[in-house]
Amino acid sequence: SGTVLASESVDLTAESAGRIEKISFQEGRHVKRNDLLLKINDDDLQAQLKKTSFQIQLASEQTERQKLLYDKSLISKEQYDISLNQLNSQKADYENLIATIRKKEIRAPFDGIIGLRYVSEGGYVSQTTRIASIQKLNPLKVDFAIPEKYSSQVSVGDLVRFRNDETKLEFTGKLYAIEPKIDADTRTLQLRA
């Protein structure tokens, strides 16, 4: 006997806490990798991003002017380097804000079926709030065990046939992982196809 599992399975949670602005998925529906599933309010971060963008523009213009003056030997290398460092610092702040804004979005990690939703628009989520689960059901995995005495007769790549007792359908899979440790209680070897 064995257990059929989704090939991938994840409980979705937020990386960043906040109020849910938009839910973009329907329960029980198929989603594609990187689809936007949920958006957490990021108005404050967007304002900071806009401000940083203006600061980069100003720092860029100042650096260009400093470069022209340095090329004409009207200012020291140190003054030009200070201006260039300020520009690079602003660019780093901009990239940091972009990364923080991305944490306010929940995207599908892989193609799959999204499960039941446990949150609502307007609700508050934290890093521990379960939003939903997503399962990749094609292909499926099967976990099963064989007696220890047969361990030398199986290897990765072997074909495995199994059937579902309810539907009486027969399936074929390929063995792709073998647990290297024998279960001490049952004296069996765990396999996955």
Side-chain angles (χ1 to χ4, degrees):
S1 64
T3 304
V4 178
L5 307 164
S7 59
E8 302 291 341
S9 177
V10 172
D11 281 337
L12 299 170
T13 57
E15 266 189 90
S16 181
R19 184 181 49 80
I20 299 170
E21 191 171 274
K22 183 176 182 187
I23 296 174
S24 304
F25 68 89
Q26 292 181 332
E27 298 165 294
R29 297 288 174 98
H30 187 269
V31 293
K32 292 194 176 289
R33 178 183 171 90
N34 288 326
D35 280 355
L36 179 64
L37 304 176
L38 184 135
K39 178 83 171 134
I40 297 170
N41 184 287
D42 64 356
D43 291 346
D44 57 333
L45 295 171
Q46 293 293 343
Q48 288 178 34
L49 190 67
K50 192 172 186 180
K51 177 183 175 186
T52 304
S53 180
F54 290 137
Q55 289 173 335
I56 288 172
Q57 185 177 353
L58 178 62
S60 180
E61 290 169 3
Q62 282 181 320
T63 301
E64 286 177 29
R65 286 193 296 272
Q66 295 285 1
K67 173 76 170 129
L68 290 173
L69 292 172
Y70 173 69
D71 288 344
K72 294 178 182 178
S73 299
L74 298 173
I75 62 169
S76 69
K77 172 100 166 91
E78 180 182 8
Q79 288 174 303
Y80 170 67
D81 287 345
I82 289 170
S83 177
L84 187 60
N85 185 47
Q86 287 174 342
L87 174 61
N88 289 334
S89 177
Q90 293 294 337
K91 287 181 178 178
D93 288 345
Y94 186 87
E95 293 300 318
N96 186 42
L97 281 168
I98 293 290
T100 305
I101 288 169
R102 282 193 194 119
K103 290 180 180 181
K104 298 286 187 174
E105 297 177 343
I106 310 296
R107 295 191 174 269
F110 46 80
D111 291 357
I113 306 292
I114 196 113
L116 301 178
R117 178 166 54 96
Y118 296 99
V119 294
S120 297
E121 284 185 10
Y124 185 85
V125 292
S126 69
Q127 290 87 344
T128 59
T129 306
R130 182 177 179 198
I131 294 166
S133 65
I134 183 171
Q135 313 282 322
K136 183 175 182 178
L137 302 176
N138 189 11
L140 291 170
K141 295 190 273 193
V142 177
D143 283 357
F144 60 99
I146 61 171
E148 173 185 19
K149 66 181 179 179
Y150 298 118
S151 63
S152 64
Q153 297 178 25
V154 294
S155 60
V156 171
D158 287 350
L159 291 180
V160 177
R161 284 198 319 263
F162 61 97
R163 74 171 179 278
N164 180 309
D165 284 339
E166 277 185 34
T167 63
K168 304 298 184 208
L169 295 174
E170 191 166 293
F171 301 92
T172 303
K174 187 180 281 191
L175 189 64
Y176 75 89
I178 300 172
E179 177 66 48
K181 179 178 144 187
I182 301 288
D183 185 302
D185 295 331
T186 61
R187 308 306 302 165
T188 59
L189 181 66
Q190 298 293 317
L191 302 121
R192 182 170 285 169

